[in-house]
């Protein structure tokens, strides 16, 4: 190839490269598609920053709950004791979650009430426990069934950052850096508001 042909080839390459850069800069969707996961990562990071996550061993909430609802001490203690015994007695991977479903459903509204400063009589009104369908708030009882560390039940909380100031979350509750999704041995047993969990589907299908 002669010198003139080489110059024309290089010039065409530069023009094409500049045109591509301008087009990518003008089209955000195209830019993201070119960047692949790097482009998506910024969006994911923003979404994650909109939520806060907390966990606390279930056994550690009993005294905290009784400060808010001392008149329900017997029922609350019975629910926590039943779930604790369930973890201790049942064999790994052979747990019947239906055995503690009623206790979980009884406990979580009281936890929500304590977090939001509700009086006990307010919990008896169903409308006070109805959440906005678009809310990302979620309160769960979860099981960490780690065969090496031993099984432990937790309260697991997901709360939008904008709602944190309205929540009375104890300082000793552990704040997590991210959601515990797809974590090995981690299972959500029941949630408020109610969520359809794989375990519940299995139990109901029997």
């Amino acid at each position: 190839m002669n010198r003139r042909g080489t110059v024309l080839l290089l010039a065409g390459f530069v023009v094409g490269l500049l045109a591509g850069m301008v087009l990518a800069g003008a089209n955000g969707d195209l830019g993201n598609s070119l960047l692949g996961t790097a482009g998506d990562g910024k969006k994911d990071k923003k979404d994650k920053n909109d939520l806060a996550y907390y966990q606390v061993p279930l056994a550690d909430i009993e005294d905290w709950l009784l400060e808010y609802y001392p008149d329900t001490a017997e029922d609350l203690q019975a629910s926590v004791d039943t779930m604790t015994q369930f973890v201790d007695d049942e064999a790994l991977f052979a747990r019947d979650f239906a055995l503690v479903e009623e206790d979980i459903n009884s406990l979580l509204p009281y936890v929500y009430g304590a977090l939001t400063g509700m009086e006990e009589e307010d919990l008896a009104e169903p409308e006070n426990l109805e959440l906005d369908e678009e809310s990302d708030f979620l309160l769960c009882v979860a099981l960490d069934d780690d065969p090496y560390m031993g099984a432990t039940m937790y309260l697991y909380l997901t709360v939008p950052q904008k709602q944190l100031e309205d929540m009375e979350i104890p300082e000793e509750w552990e704040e997590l850096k991210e959601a515990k999704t797809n974590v090995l041995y981690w299972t959500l047993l029941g949630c408020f508001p109610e969520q359809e969990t794989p375990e519940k589907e299995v139990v109901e299908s029997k």
Side-chain angles (χ1 to χ4, degrees):
M1 181 182 295
N2 58 32
R3 182 176 179 182
R4 181 179 179 183
T6 301
V7 171
L8 290 175
L9 180 63
L10 289 175
F13 176 78
V14 171
V15 170
L17 180 61
L18 291 174
M21 292 175 64
V22 170
L23 180 61
N27 190 328
D29 293 336
L30 178 59
N32 284 339
S33 66
L34 292 173
L35 292 173
T37 55
D40 292 340
K42 292 182 178 180
K43 182 179 185 299
D44 291 343
K45 184 175 181 181
K46 179 180 184 299
D47 291 342
K48 289 179 180 178
N49 287 341
D50 289 339
L51 300 172
Y53 306 94
Y54 294 86
Q55 71 174 24
V56 59
L58 192 65
D60 293 351
I61 71 160
E62 193 170 319
D63 291 340
W64 169 73
L65 266 182
L66 293 180
E67 290 181 8
Y68 287 90
Y69 308 114
D71 294 339
T72 61
E74 186 175 345
D75 292 338
L76 291 176
Q77 288 173 338
S79 292
V80 173
D81 290 346
T82 298
M83 286 185 275
T84 301
Q85 185 175 352
F86 166 79
V87 171
D88 293 339
D89 292 350
E90 296 293 321
L92 183 65
F93 302 130
R95 306 184 193 280
D96 184 357
F97 300 108
L99 295 176
V100 292
E101 183 176 1
E102 183 177 347
D103 294 288
I104 292 173
N105 292 338
S106 298
L107 179 70
L108 289 179
Y110 282 101
V111 176
Y112 176 72
L115 288 170
T116 56
M118 275 194 212
E119 298 293 335
E120 185 176 348
E121 53 268 24
D122 295 332
L123 294 176
E125 302 296 332
E127 60 269 20
N128 293 332
L129 297 175
E130 294 178 0
L131 302 184
D132 187 336
E133 293 182 357
E134 297 182 358
S135 174
D136 291 319
F137 176 87
L138 191 62
L139 174 65
C140 301
V141 170
L143 175 67
D144 186 348
D145 221 348
D146 191 326
Y148 305 104
M149 303 298 293
T152 305
M153 271 190 172
Y154 288 91
L155 272 181
Y156 176 63
L157 176 64
T158 300
V159 56
Q161 291 283 354
K162 62 183 179 182
Q163 290 183 237
L164 281 177
E165 61 183 22
D166 299 324
M167 295 281 172
E168 300 179 16
I169 300 175
E171 293 182 359
E172 60 269 23
W173 288 20
E174 179 184 359
E175 184 173 3
L176 306 173
K177 294 182 179 179
E178 57 186 13
K180 297 190 74 168
T181 53
N182 301 320
V183 175
L184 192 62
Y185 308 122
W186 180 263
T187 305
L188 297 181
L189 303 183
C191 296
F192 173 83
E194 186 175 0
Q195 302 287 307
E196 198 66 38
T197 64
E199 291 70 36
K200 187 171 182 181
E201 292 172 0
V202 169
V203 170
E204 292 181 344
S205 65
K206 289 183 180 180

